[in-house]
């Protein structure tokens, strides 16, 4: 057994759990590296890992029906209800009761981009990054509502320092530094298929971020939740870093959430086709509304249609939620929120027998939607995919950089058309700065657009043309 003063208990725990191979490079490490390795090991909950390795994942739930949802308004009464919700949402935003929360701790492995995914340049003309677009949207909302909107950013061990540095170098994209709160999520070791820990370097264990479900714990343990309480924030608007179309502060959504007294609210889009790989909203037998992963939805339910021929399980989750601060506080309750871990088999690059190699491994992650059934009340709110969901998951093809940019261009051109703004003949690629507009209504109908193939409408370009003077 190796020895290191002050670390006897940790060292014995590693041996008791038959993980002593993590010390295979011990003799090559200097004292500071030895300490790093031991500190890394000290954070590991071996009981949890043993349980996750030996325990079979509980069977997916099967007793559920499609979840009810608030649909796109069709009737005058529904439109009036929307207007009431909008007013309530606007009031909450104006009163500074709302914070924006992006989860950006993922590894973005499908995109294959080195560095935090939020630094990925996505603006089709501007090349602005995901982070910049989100930050500028928040700035615009804050200006519209005349209130501060804190921007909470969850990172992970792998990208925390780079994310912080990026915001600092860019002077928080014009937001007040105090309003940008960046904190890392927890990490959990991955295991190989024999239940063994793996090394990332000679003095660190391979760990992965604990999933977007780790965000609720991280909000609590980082102190961000306490800070939100101090600032009088009641509503936390949750979104994913890789969705440049997201309506970060949506007064109608916020308003419904508040008027219905919900602990959590979620946006849904109609599934494009039955086998689409999105989780669907369901109501479990106990009455709670949650999400069932597409892979857990039985074939007959995937295809099941109602009397009118419409897909029954059609509300796809787009990972946009609102959480009541008090709900997160309630379930956090000073200790780890007990969301279950899900196991995924993934290839993992690890250090073994003196060389870097790729091995089959088990990654454990929590999913944020597992918190939904813990609410006393939650609602699902239908929205249009083209209005707010353009995930950047892959470099090309489905849910890619290309598809997201196309959707951004279509949205912005649609806003211009909707405001009766003339599109010059040459314009093919149009992008509007979030500082100019986060929705069509923000655009000045007198806006003049330069006749170029690529048009970027920023605050300088968004000047008004006096009436009677056609745009050049
Ligand atoms: P994804 O599940 O799409 O994962 O995350 P990813 O890491 O971005 O990409 P792949 O699967 O490796 O290709 C959805 C959202 O959840 C965040 C991501 O940053 C993204 O915004 N996330 C995911 C976290 O914040 N932490 C995690 O542990 C996992």
């Amino acid at each position: 057994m190796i020895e290191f003063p002050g670390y006897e208990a940790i060292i014995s725990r590693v041996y008791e759990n038959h993980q002593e191979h993590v010390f295979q490079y011990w003799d090559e490490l200097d004292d500071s590296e030895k300490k790093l390795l031991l500190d890394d090991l000290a954070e590991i909950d071996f009981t949890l890992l043993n349980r996750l390795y030996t325990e079979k994942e509980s069977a997916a739930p099967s007793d559920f029906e499609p979840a009810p949802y608030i649909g796109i308004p069709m009737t005058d009464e529904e439109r009036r209800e929307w207007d009431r919700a909008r007013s309530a949402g606007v009031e909450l935003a104006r009163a500074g009761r709302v914070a924006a929360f992006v989860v950006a701790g993922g590894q973005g492995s499908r995109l294959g981009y080195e560095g935090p995914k939020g630094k990925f340049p996505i603006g089709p003309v501007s090349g602005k990054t995901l982070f910049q677009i989100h930050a500028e949207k928040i700035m615009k909302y804050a200006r519209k509502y005349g209130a501060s909107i804190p921007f909470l950013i969850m990172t992970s061990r792998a990208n925390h320092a780079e994310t912080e540095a990026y915001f600092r170098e860019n002077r928080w994209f014009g937001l007040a530094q105090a309003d940008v709160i960046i904190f890392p999520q927890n990490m959990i070791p991955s295991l190989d298929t024999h239940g063994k820990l793996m090394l990332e370097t000679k003095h660190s264990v391979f760990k992965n971020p604990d999933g977007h479900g780790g965000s609720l714990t991280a909000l609590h343990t980082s102190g961000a939740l306490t800070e939100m309480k101090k600032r009088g924030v009641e509503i936390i608007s949750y979104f994913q870093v890789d969705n440049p179309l997201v309506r970060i502060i949506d007064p109608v959504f916020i308003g419904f959430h508040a008027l219905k007294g919900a602990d959590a609210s979620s946006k849904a889009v109609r599934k494009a086709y039955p086998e689409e790989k999105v989780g669907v909203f369901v109501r479990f037998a106990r009455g709670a509304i949650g999400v069932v992963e597409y892979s857990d939805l039985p074939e007959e339910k995937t295809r099941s249609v109602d009397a009118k021929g419409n897909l029954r399980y059609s509300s796809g989750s787009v990972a946009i939620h609102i959480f009541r601060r008090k709900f997160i506080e309630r379930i956090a309750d000073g200790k780890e929120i007990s969301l279950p871990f899900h196991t995924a088999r993934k290839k993992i690059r690890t250090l073994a027998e003196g060389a870097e190699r790729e091995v089959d491994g088990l990654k454990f992650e929590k999913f944020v939607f597992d918190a939904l059934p813990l609410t006393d009340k939650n609602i699902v709110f239908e929205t249009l995919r083209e209005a707010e969901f353009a995930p950047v998951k892959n470099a090309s093809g489905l849910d890619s950089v290309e598809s997201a940019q196309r959707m951004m261009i279509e949205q912005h051109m649609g806003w211009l058309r909707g405001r009766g703004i003339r599109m010059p003949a040459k314009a093919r690629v149009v992008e509007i700065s979030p500082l100019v507009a986060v929705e069509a209504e923000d655009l000045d109908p007198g806006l003049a657009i330069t006749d170029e193939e690529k048009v970027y409408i920023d605050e300088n370009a968004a000047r008004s043309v006096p009436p009677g003077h056609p745009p050049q």
Side-chain angles (χ1 to χ4, degrees):
M1 188 147 114
I2 62 148
E3 285 175 13
F4 202 81
Y7 286 88
E8 293 76 9
I10 297 157
I11 295 168
S12 332
R13 218 163 51 238
V14 172
Y15 280 86
E16 277 155 29
N17 285 283
H18 312 293
Q19 299 285 4
E20 59 273 17
H21 61 284
V22 295
F23 297 127
Q24 61 191 285
Y25 299 106
W26 187 254
D27 293 338
E28 296 176 35
L29 306 181
D30 61 31
D31 273 5
S32 66
E33 289 170 331
K34 285 178 176 166
K35 220 169 146 312
L36 280 176
L37 177 61
L38 291 167
D39 286 336
D40 205 17
L41 289 163
E43 283 174 8
I44 297 177
D45 181 343
F46 287 99
T47 318
L48 170 70
L49 274 187
N50 291 338
R51 180 165 64 69
L52 291 176
Y53 180 67
T54 47
E55 193 178 73
K56 291 257 171 299
E57 257 197 72
S58 50
S62 57
D63 199 1
F64 53 76
E65 56 183 33
Y69 60 87
I70 297 167
I72 308 283
M74 298 296 194
T75 64
D76 284 349
E77 178 44 35
E78 284 168 353
R79 274 187 277 274
R80 278 194 291 276
E81 215 188 330
W82 265 53
D83 288 341
R84 283 194 291 276
R86 187 192 311 275
S87 305
V90 166
E91 218 169 280
L92 284 161
R94 284 206 180 123
R97 300 278 175 257
V98 187
F101 178 30
V102 68
V103 287
Q107 293 162 312
S109 37
R110 281 170 286 173
L111 189 58
Y113 177 69
E114 285 294 319
K117 205 174 186 179
K119 282 178 72 177
F120 188 84
I122 194 69
V125 182
S126 67
K128 282 184 180 174
T129 63
L130 286 158
F131 274 144
Q132 180 166 5
I133 288 175
H134 296 320
E136 289 185 352
K137 280 188 189 179
I138 291 167
M139 175 118 106
K140 177 72 176 175
Y141 292 118
R143 285 181 186 163
K144 273 171 79 115
Y145 299 121
S148 107
I149 298 177
F151 185 15
L152 306 166
I153 303 171
M154 185 181 80
T155 59
S156 71
R157 180 169 85 173
N159 64 25
H160 181 75
E162 203 179 333
T163 302
E164 263 195 341
Y166 180 61
F167 273 86
R168 189 171 316 108
E169 279 154 21
N170 288 284
R171 310 204 58 74
W172 300 274
F173 298 104
L175 295 168
Q177 181 184 351
D179 283 348
V180 182
I181 299 171
I182 309 177
F183 56 92
Q185 68 182 115
N186 285 330
M187 306 289 286
I188 178 164
S190 304
L191 295 176
D192 72 11
T193 48
H194 306 288
K196 297 289 181 195
L197 291 170
M198 291 172 283
L199 289 177
E200 187 169 22
T201 67
K202 291 179 180 176
H203 54 77
S204 64
V205 172
F206 185 95
K207 295 180 178 175
N208 63 273
D210 64 350
H212 41 65
S215 62
L216 303 182
T217 309
L219 272 174
H220 175 66
T221 52
S222 66
L225 219 49
T226 312
E227 178 62 24
M228 291 305 100
K229 187 175 179 180
K230 251 193 246 157
R231 295 188 188 201
V233 167
E234 287 166 11
I235 285 171
I236 303 204
S237 184
Y238 168 106
F239 64 103
Q240 300 193 329
V241 72
D242 51 17
N243 180 10
L245 229 50
V246 62
R247 210 178 266 168
I248 300 174
I249 304 296
D250 177 349
V252 182
F253 185 39
I254 292 170
F256 271 114
H257 169 84
L259 295 176
K260 302 274 180 193
D263 277 338
S265 302
S266 308
K267 280 192 175 166
V269 299
R270 291 272 169 90
K271 270 170 83 169
Y273 47 93
E275 300 79 15
E276 192 185 5
K277 291 185 173 171
V278 290
V280 291
F281 286 100
V282 305
R283 179 155 57 191
F284 296 112
R286 286 171 292 110
I289 294 174
V291 172
V292 168
E293 279 276 68
Y294 64 88
S295 47
D296 290 333
L297 194 65
E299 165 97 31
E300 81 277 3
K301 285 199 159 91
T302 302
R303 301 181 167 283
S304 157
V305 288
D306 64 15
K308 290 188 190 145
N310 296 322
L311 213 53
R312 289 185 66 235
Y313 292 92
S314 63
S315 292
S317 172
V318 285
I320 301 172
H321 308 281
I322 288 176
F323 293 104
R324 210 151 70 88
R325 174 181 50 77
K326 286 189 182 144
F327 165 68
I328 306 176
E329 283 168 2
R330 169 162 76 72
I331 63 172
D333 192 28
K335 53 185 181 321
E336 177 88 350
I337 297 171
S338 56
L339 298 187
F341 275 99
H342 299 259
T343 307
R345 284 180 179 267
K346 299 235 170 117
K347 293 270 181 226
I348 292 171
R349 276 205 84 72
T350 167
L351 192 61
E353 291 144 34
E356 269 217 8
R357 60 187 72 215
E358 211 167 64
V359 301
D360 288 324
L362 306 173
K363 280 192 178 180
F364 307 105
E365 283 192 327
K366 296 177 186 177
F367 298 159
V368 75
F369 54 72
D370 281 329
L372 300 178
L374 305 178
T375 57
D376 286 336
K377 180 177 171 105
N378 66 324
I379 59 166
V380 178
F381 177 84
E382 187 188 12
T383 186
L384 296 174
R385 181 187 300 252
E386 60 274 21
E388 46 192 314
F389 186 54
V392 183
K393 300 290 181 195
N394 307 301
S396 58
L398 205 64
D399 293 343
S400 64
V401 177
E402 195 195 330
S403 62
Q405 289 184 329
R406 205 178 44 242
M407 289 178 81
M408 291 171 81
I409 295 165
E410 278 165 13
Q411 179 177 70
H412 290 173
M413 285 181 132
W415 287 356
L416 293 167
R417 271 196 306 275
R419 297 294 277 170
I421 297 166
R422 216 183 62 175
M423 196 69 66
K426 284 196 213 141
R428 293 284 168 274
V429 183
V430 175
E431 183 186 346
I432 302 172
S433 162
L435 296 173
V436 172
V438 283
E439 53 188 332
E441 291 66 34
D442 298 333
L443 288 171
D444 179 345
L447 186 71
I449 304 179
T450 46
D451 194 8
E452 282 160 345
E453 201 181 310
K454 289 188 172 188
V455 176
Y456 187 63
I457 301 174
D458 63 13
E459 285 170 299
N460 297 327
R463 68 201 148 80
S464 213
V465 183
H469 291 256
Q472 288 113 46

